[in-house]
Amino acid sequence: RTLDDAKLHVAHAAIFDAGAQVYGGFVRDWVIRGDTARDIDVLTSNWDHAEERMTAALRPFQIVLQGSKPYGQGEHCRRLTFAWRRSNVEVDLVDPNRAPSYAPGVDCDAGNVIIDRGGILRLKVQSMGQHVPLEKAIKHAKDKKFVFFYNLTDPETGGMAKNRLLKYLKRGWVCKSPVLDGLDAGFEAQIRTKPKYSKPYWQTPKR
């Protein structure tokens, strides 16, 4: 077995034993792209239940809980560290009622994916499907392309949005939506704007 196998066991335990949902980089990178994911983001409002159920389910696979602590801005999540052989698997239990939310609720289409409690891959923020449906979001992720949703000019959240955008660009992803002048410095070849993706996505009502 490999570390990726261990991470798959952890994600499986989160969904089918803890009754939670898995989203973020694990779904985008490992499930869709087949790349190694750094950690696993789990959406749940009951941290204690998720931690208890996951710990019990993973023990037979020699994946053992080593740490559990508050984490993130305002401690809106709990970080679990599972040990497998000589490696660690980090899991962030994110409470949707505590986590900060930035319009429209997700950074880009390639990240707007989640595996629900039934093990079904779907859009994390359903309302964004009117702009980029699931099938197109999956295709973009496979091709390392994305449509950016956050407002880069917002005085309060613009800095966070810029950092998130640059994170994708520095990993070699191609942006299909407009960016601010200057932000594309060094990444000009990766900005391939399409008119149909030139929209104020942050104004989309979240549902």
Side-chain angles (χ1 to χ4, degrees):
R1 293 191 303 167
T2 66
L3 181 57
D4 281 339
D5 293 327
K7 291 177 182 178
L8 180 58
H9 279 301
V10 173
H12 188 280
I15 296 168
F16 296 105
D17 293 286
Q21 303 179 86
V22 173
Y23 70 103
F26 180 82
V27 181
R28 181 194 63 226
D29 297 333
W30 194 89
V31 175
I32 295 176
R33 292 185 42 77
D35 292 339
T36 295
R38 292 186 301 174
D39 54 18
I40 300 171
D41 296 316
V42 176
L43 199 64
T44 176
S45 58
N46 193 333
W47 293 345
D48 292 337
H49 172 79
E51 179 177 329
E52 178 183 343
R53 295 298 300 271
M54 290 176 67
T55 299
L58 293 168
R59 194 175 295 118
F61 300 100
Q62 287 77 55
I63 302 173
V64 182
L65 183 67
Q66 294 291 300
S68 174
K69 63 180 181 181
Y71 185 77
Q73 179 182 343
E75 299 184 346
H76 69 271
C77 68
R78 177 183 295 181
R79 172 158 289 182
L80 307 181
T81 301
F82 289 95
W84 178 76
R85 295 183 179 177
R86 296 183 179 180
S87 300
N88 288 335
V89 178
E90 289 189 336
V91 177
D92 286 342
L93 303 180
V94 181
D95 185 343
N97 300 312
R98 303 187 196 184
S101 181
Y102 307 105
V106 65
D107 59 358
C108 69
D109 66 323
N112 190 25
V113 285
I114 191 169
I115 299 178
D116 65 21
R117 297 175 182 87
I120 304 300
L121 177 65
R122 62 172 178 81
L123 292 177
K124 181 174 182 284
V125 180
Q126 295 286 344
S127 57
M128 298 311 293
Q130 65 185 289
H131 303 298
V132 186
L134 178 61
E135 295 78 8
K136 180 61 72 172
I138 291 173
K139 185 179 186 303
H140 280 170
K142 287 181 176 179
D143 295 337
K144 292 189 74 171
K145 298 177 182 178
F146 67 102
V147 178
F148 198 67
F149 292 154
Y150 283 161
N151 185 359
L152 291 164
T153 62
D154 187 280
E156 294 185 2
T157 64
M160 175 279 301
K162 293 172 187 175
N163 289 335
R164 191 66 63 89
L165 173 69
L166 290 173
K167 183 177 179 180
Y168 276 92
L169 295 175
K170 288 176 180 178
R171 293 179 178 178
W173 286 61
V174 170
C175 185
K176 309 279 286 183
S177 49
V179 301
L180 296 177
D181 290 341
L183 267 184
D184 59 351
F187 303 104
E188 291 86 355
Q190 293 168 236
I191 309 300
R192 304 177 191 171
T193 303
K194 282 194 171 185
K196 68 177 180 178
Y197 295 134
S198 301
K199 301 176 182 178
Y201 295 107
W202 53 90
Q203 296 177 5
T204 305
K206 182 180 177 182
R207 66 176 190 273

